[in-house]
Each structure stands twice: as C-alpha cells, then as structure tokens.
Amino acid sequence: MHCVLAVGGIHLGHCLRDDHDVTAKAWFHYGKAIERLKFYLSRWKVAKPDDLLRLLISTVLLQDFEAIRGNVDGEVFQHLRASRQIASALFNSTLNIDTEIMGVALEAYCYRELISAFRLGVEEADIQQVLNSFVIDLSCLQHLPTFGSCFWYCSFLFMQIPLISQLAGRRQRELREGVDMCCDVEYTHLYNKISSWRPPGQEFSANCEVDIEDSEAVSAMIVRISLLLFLVTSFYHKSITPHELCKITQPWVTEALSLLQFAHGSPTIIALFWPMIVIGSYAREVSDQSVLQRMLSTSTHKMPIVAKGLVLLECLWRSQDTEDFGLSGLERIADRQRTSLCIG
C-alpha cells in the first residue's frame, strides 16, 4: 500500500503544480515502503511464492516512482537490481499463483529491465545478468493471459536491446585494443533482423489514415527506428564523426517524425516516450526539433519524466559542441547536469 500511495502521490503532486504537501506525503510513503522492503528482501529466499509476488510488485512500483520523477539519481537501476532474483525465483516457481497478477508483474519487470538497457553506458555485469535470465526470451511469458500489456507488438524488438547494448561495449573494446572481436558480423546480423522486422500480420503504410489498431503497428515501427539509431551508434560511435553519423541517421529521423502523427493519441504513446527522446537526440533540423518539442510539451501525460526529457533534448539541441549528438550526446548532457537519463 505504501508503494501505491507513493506512486500516486508523486504523480499527483506534479499535476497539482508541485503541491508540496502531496509530494511530501508521497516521499513519506516511499520511505516507509523502502523500510519494509529492506526487511523482507533480507528474507526473500525463504519466502512463499505469494510473498515473492508481493515483493516483485513492490519493487516494480518503486521503479515506477523513480521513473515518473525522471530517474534523477539513477535509482530505477538500483530497484531493478533488487528485482532480478525475486523475478527469477517467481518465474521458476511451480506453485499455483494468480497467473494474471503474476503475468502483469513479470512483464512490467521485463519491460523496465529491457528499456533500461537502451543506452550506451550500461555496466557489463548488468547486461550479462539480463542475457543469462528468462528476460532475453519473452516467448516464455506468452502463455500468460495478460501478455502484451507492456510490449504489445514489440516483444521481439525489445529483446534486441541488451544484444545491442552488449555490442556497444564490445565494439568500444575492439576500437580501443585494436583486436578484431567480430563486431561487424554481429552488427550486420542485428541490423538485418531489426530492419526487416514488421508487426505481425500488418500491412503498413504511413501515407493513409489508420485506425487505433493500426496505430499500434505505427508505434511498433517507431520503436524499430529508435533501435536502428541505437544500433548504428553502438557500432559507429568514436569511429566516425557526428556529422557522418548524422548523414546515416537523418532518413530514419524523417521517417519516424512522419509516423508520430499517426501514433499521437494512441494508447501506446506513453511507451514511446524513451524511443521519442532517442529519436529527438538525432534531430538536427530545427523543424524536426519543433515537432518533437510540441509533442512533448503538449503531452497529456503530465509527469516530471516528460518535462525532464524535454529539458535534456533542448540542452542537446542548443549545444554548440559538435560531439553532442545522438545517444552519446544525450548522455554527455545528462552527465553535465549531474543526473541520469530519464528512461521510463
């Protein structure tokens, strides 16, 4: 209950124009939740499956709390680490548990785990833990009745994120040490998989009006573009100039912006927040920047994370440093502001 009140309070406090009383109460409940969670986490290995489920829901809600406020201090990543063994134990449990609640909790955890790897600076140990867990193969959750609540069409795309993140780290070692680690082979393999992907059973055209079902396919294609931007940056970062990288990425930015008008107002638009920020970090044209600025500033999702994402993009766009471009530039801006990326 403390977790639920904390999440609701931090959101409500922002909606009420930073109501300090509501925000203070949200932090009170957050503190109480952390206090109780520390006690139960010290005993999770002897916990019953129902208790594991409650623990997982609690840690996922605390991730939501930190994500809503913009992941200011990177606490989302800390709560994720607390979730991993609990989620794994719950997934491997053979006892009878409410499959709907468990399905929502496990998928929410997997979503946060995968989206949090959508950046260049992920620690290798964190990536290895994801790659060695059930998260890397979401098909193992597809039998659950609630599957798709977070990933909709995009489970295949999200499963590529830790692979790209792993490639980013290996590619930098390859460049630094001058030793062939076959990164070009892995890059080509991932590029072909992602670029050829289409939503299941969907014939897609960006030049016609689409209904709400088709708008989910549009959203999935926008996620696909953001992953291609992530992939080319992971491979080419520090091996070509930002200007050369911009020439590669600009057609995808143009395509993504043409698609966003079809996704605007879709129920899936909130899941496009971080992909939109990623796409925005590659937008060099003022007209493209204006489109994204307008969409974020007029978003009906009034949360600190949205405001912070727009601030980071505006700082990136105003920067005179040519290195401040794309995901790497976004991370440079966040470092200068002594904050974490607002992934959510």
Side-chain angles (χ1 to χ4, degrees):
M1 183 57 71
H2 285 301
C3 294
V4 173
L5 292 171
V7 171
I10 203 68
H11 183 210
L12 181 61
H14 180 75
C15 290
L16 296 176
R17 298 187 179 182
D18 295 321
D19 187 304
H20 297 298
D21 184 52
V22 172
T23 302
K25 288 179 180 177
W27 279 106
F28 169 80
H29 290 294
Y30 179 83
K32 286 293 185 182
I34 291 291
E35 180 183 316
R36 298 303 296 164
L37 195 59
K38 285 181 178 178
F39 174 80
Y40 287 108
L41 283 175
S42 66
R43 294 160 174 77
W44 76 268
K45 289 186 178 180
V46 295
K48 297 177 181 178
D50 284 341
D51 293 328
L52 287 175
L53 180 55
R54 280 189 283 270
L55 278 174
L56 181 60
I57 292 171
S58 297
T59 56
V60 167
L61 285 171
L62 292 178
Q63 291 162 31
D64 288 341
F65 177 93
E66 292 294 350
I68 287 171
R69 61 184 290 264
N71 192 31
V72 178
D73 302 310
E75 292 298 328
V76 169
F77 309 137
Q78 300 302 321
H79 289 310
L80 266 174
R81 293 186 180 108
S83 301
R84 283 175 186 154
Q85 290 183 310
I86 298 168
S88 180
L90 185 63
F91 173 76
N92 292 319
S93 173
T94 58
L95 298 180
N96 186 32
I97 307 177
D98 188 313
T99 54
E100 291 190 359
I101 296 177
M102 182 177 71
V104 170
L106 285 174
E107 186 171 351
Y109 157 73
C110 290
Y111 170 80
R112 190 74 68 193
E113 188 76 87
L114 293 171
I115 199 72
S116 293
F118 199 157
R119 53 195 171 99
L120 295 175
V122 186
E123 294 184 16
E124 186 176 354
D126 287 328
I127 288 297
Q128 286 303 320
Q129 287 191 50
V130 174
L131 293 173
N132 293 331
S133 73
F134 71 93
V135 178
I136 197 61
D137 183 10
L138 293 173
S139 63
C140 63
L141 299 180
Q142 289 181 356
H143 68 283
L144 295 171
T146 57
F147 185 77
S149 57
C150 292
F151 293 113
W152 19 290
Y153 288 137
C154 294
S155 58
F156 171 83
L157 294 175
F158 275 86
M159 287 189 294
Q160 311 312 308
I161 293 175
L163 298 174
I164 299 173
S165 189
Q166 182 187 50
L167 173 64
R170 192 164 67 243
R171 173 61 170 163
Q172 290 309 301
R173 289 198 303 275
E174 184 178 65
L175 292 172
R176 186 171 57 250
E177 299 171 11
V179 178
D180 185 1
M181 297 182 177
C182 298
C183 290
D184 56 338
V185 175
E186 181 65 12
Y187 168 77
T188 302
H189 175 65
L190 287 169
Y191 182 87
N192 289 338
K193 282 203 301 182
I194 296 169
S195 62
S196 63
W197 182 88
R198 295 293 183 276
Q202 293 289 324
E203 291 186 0
F204 178 77
S205 172
N207 299 316
C208 63
E209 293 295 328
V210 291
D211 60 27
I212 190 64
E213 183 174 308
D214 289 326
S215 72
E216 294 181 6
V218 174
S219 298
M221 296 295 281
I222 294 169
V223 171
R224 168 184 162 273
I225 291 171
S226 69
L227 286 186
L228 288 170
L229 293 170
F230 181 28
L231 177 61
V232 297
T233 302
S234 296
F235 185 74
Y236 287 112
H237 180 50
K238 294 184 179 179
S239 66
I240 62 175
T241 67
H243 179 70
E244 290 171 321
L245 182 60
C246 182
K247 288 183 177 179
I248 297 173
T249 58
Q250 182 57 45
W252 287 324
V253 173
T254 302
E255 181 185 356
L257 291 176
S258 70
L259 295 176
L260 275 170
Q261 62 179 311
F262 296 100
H264 197 57
S266 165
T268 59
I269 191 66
I270 188 60
L272 289 179
F273 169 72
W274 184 243
M276 283 176 64
I277 298 297
V278 170
I279 291 165
S281 71
Y282 294 87
R284 277 281 174 88
E285 299 293 331
V286 174
S287 57
D288 293 341
Q289 295 171 1
S290 297
V291 170
L292 286 161
Q293 186 179 46
R294 184 172 61 253
M295 291 192 71
L296 290 168
S297 61
T298 60
S299 171
T300 57
H301 300 94
K302 304 297 182 183
M303 293 182 282
I305 185 175
V306 178
K308 180 183 175 183
L310 181 55
V311 167
L312 286 176
L313 281 181
E314 289 174 337
C315 290
L316 182 70
W317 294 335
R318 288 195 303 265
S319 176
Q320 299 299 309
D321 190 335
T322 57
E323 293 296 320
D324 290 343
F325 175 73
L327 258 177
S328 60
L330 204 61
E331 293 187 8
R332 284 160 58 92
I333 295 294
D335 287 343
R336 282 182 213 147
Q337 297 186 359
R338 297 183 180 181
T339 188
S340 292
L341 293 177
C342 50
I343 297 177

